[in-house]
Amino acid sequence: MRIALIDSGIGMLSTAAAVYAARPDADLFLSMDPGHMPWGARTPDEVIGRALAGARAAWETAGGVDAIVVPCNTASVHGLSRLREEFEPDVPVIGTVPAIKPAARSGGPIAVWSTAATTRSGYQRRLVETFAEGLEVTAVACVGLAEAVESADPREVADALSYAAGLTPPDVRAVVLGCTHYDLIGDRIVAGLGEGVALHTAAHAVAAQTLRRVGDLPHQGRPGRVRVLAGGRPAELPAAALTYPAGRALVAQESPARSL
């Protein structure tokens, strides 16, 4: 089983770790784009181009893949249709949607933490209107948080978290993490907001959907390998990845860049 994950940076790690936990024999191809990170600040056409480039690089490196996963809300909004045009029906392409629907089942108030671009998007507004109608929902633009998580700088993370927490109403019962980077610091978000706040993320749902779409491929009888691309070139997991449990879960399976 060969699965490609496409994102600008290490925000993909939570989804990659969830896939690996479910299928530890899968070979994962992590196609990052650090030279153009974050994608949220770019135009839709730029995001489409970067996502396509990352998917093509993973495909070529792997010699074909069984699924392409886009663990990035921005890339899913803008690039999913174009990726599906190019790769489906032969290869399923799985996107990421903020977990507003499951959060709404438990009632409000809800806060949706997203990048500034996603917060402004009609895409997020439609999700709220569709799945959380009648509930109190606060959209929180987490300025700088994805970049802080990418850098793993403790002070930058703390400052960005404090800013987002200050915009979050104190009576919120659930927080939807609308950017996969935020998954990596879920414990710190809970600590900042209080233990009574439930976090809703998409990583495990995306992993489960990926395996459903791939189907029942036989296990390979060996641990899967993790291979990293940065801007289409063989690379290693960024040092910042080791700051987070999801990154540490994958590094033991990482194949040296020189072996690609």
Side-chain angles (χ1 to χ4, degrees):
M1 182 182 291
R2 294 167 296 177
I3 297 175
L5 293 98
I6 316 300
D7 199 351
S8 61
I10 63 174
M12 67 168 65
L13 292 178
S14 56
T15 302
V19 171
Y20 180 73
R23 280 296 296 253
D25 63 316
D27 291 334
L28 305 183
F29 295 81
L30 311 185
S31 189
M32 302 181 182
D33 192 30
H36 299 85
M37 190 271 169
W39 284 349
R42 300 192 172 273
T43 67
D45 285 344
E46 287 176 318
V47 173
I48 291 168
R50 300 316 308 166
L52 282 169
R56 290 165 180 160
W59 173 272
E60 292 169 4
T61 299
V65 295
D66 297 301
I68 294 171
V69 183
V70 187
C72 171
N73 292 281
T74 298
S76 295
V77 171
H78 299 304
L80 209 58
S81 295
R82 183 65 185 84
L83 285 164
R84 286 174 171 161
E85 286 176 8
E86 179 153 335
F87 290 98
E88 291 190 347
D90 297 329
V91 178
V93 179
I94 298 90
T96 300
V97 176
I100 293 170
K101 183 177 181 179
R105 293 193 189 114
S106 59
I110 298 170
V112 182
W113 283 27
S114 304
T115 64
T118 302
T119 299
R120 293 192 303 266
S121 69
Y123 159 77
Q124 179 169 299
R125 184 176 62 254
R126 287 190 294 273
L127 286 174
V128 171
E129 291 170 351
T130 301
F131 298 116
E133 184 180 5
L135 297 179
E136 182 181 342
V137 180
T138 301
V140 177
C142 301
V143 176
L145 185 55
E147 293 87 342
V149 172
E150 184 78 19
S151 71
D153 183 290
R155 179 169 294 181
E156 291 183 9
V157 170
D159 289 346
L161 268 178
S162 178
Y163 175 81
L167 298 176
T168 304
D171 61 342
V172 155
R173 295 172 54 190
V175 172
V176 176
L177 301 185
C179 171
T180 51
H181 276 82
Y182 307 164
D183 293 13
L184 299 176
I185 56 166
D187 56 342
R188 278 173 265 186
I189 294 172
V190 170
L193 295 177
E195 294 293 335
V197 174
L199 293 187
H200 293 266
T201 73
H204 285 88
V206 172
Q209 175 68 357
T210 298
L211 297 180
R212 281 194 293 269
R213 294 288 305 278
V214 169
D216 190 22
L217 292 182
H219 282 252
Q220 299 182 80
R222 61 162 176 81
R225 294 181 292 246
V226 174
R227 302 184 181 185
V228 181
L229 300 171
R233 298 177 179 275
E236 297 178 354
L237 274 172
L242 302 183
T243 306
Y244 306 108
R248 294 194 293 272
L250 295 169
V251 71
Q253 274 57 57
E254 184 181 4
S255 298
R258 62 179 177 274
S259 73
L260 295 182

